[in-house]
Amino acid sequence: MKIRVKFGKNPYNNRFTCGHCREPFERGGFFIRLEHGGQVVDIPVCPRCFESGDLLEGMIDLSAHSASHPIGLA
């Protein structure tokens, strides 16, 4: 099984909902995309949550698409 992972500083200027604080944001922060079997799960993190330096984690469900998968503190 292979999973495609795309991550880094958020290069997009789209309107996202932060995976941690659930607040909307439009640029900056951190972006993670997981792809497997045609399913795409995005985990955008707003600049404030990313700069906090906290370790974040989540149980990722790859059975359904998600534009903002929720994550919490590790």
Side-chain angles (χ1 to χ4, degrees), residues 18-69:
C18 179
H20 179 60
C21 72
R22 309 309 292 168
E23 293 292 322
F25 71 102
E26 293 185 7
R27 61 181 55 91
F30 191 76
F31 184 83
I32 301 170
R33 172 171 282 171
L34 304 172
E35 295 181 38
H36 180 266
Q39 297 296 337
V40 176
V41 175
D42 292 337
I43 308 166
V45 179
C46 73
R48 186 179 73 230
C49 289
F50 182 64
E51 292 299 323
S52 74
D54 292 328
L55 184 61
L56 303 170
E57 71 175 1
M59 293 297 295
I60 310 303
D61 180 2
L62 289 171
S63 67
H65 174 79
S66 176
S68 180
H69 195 285

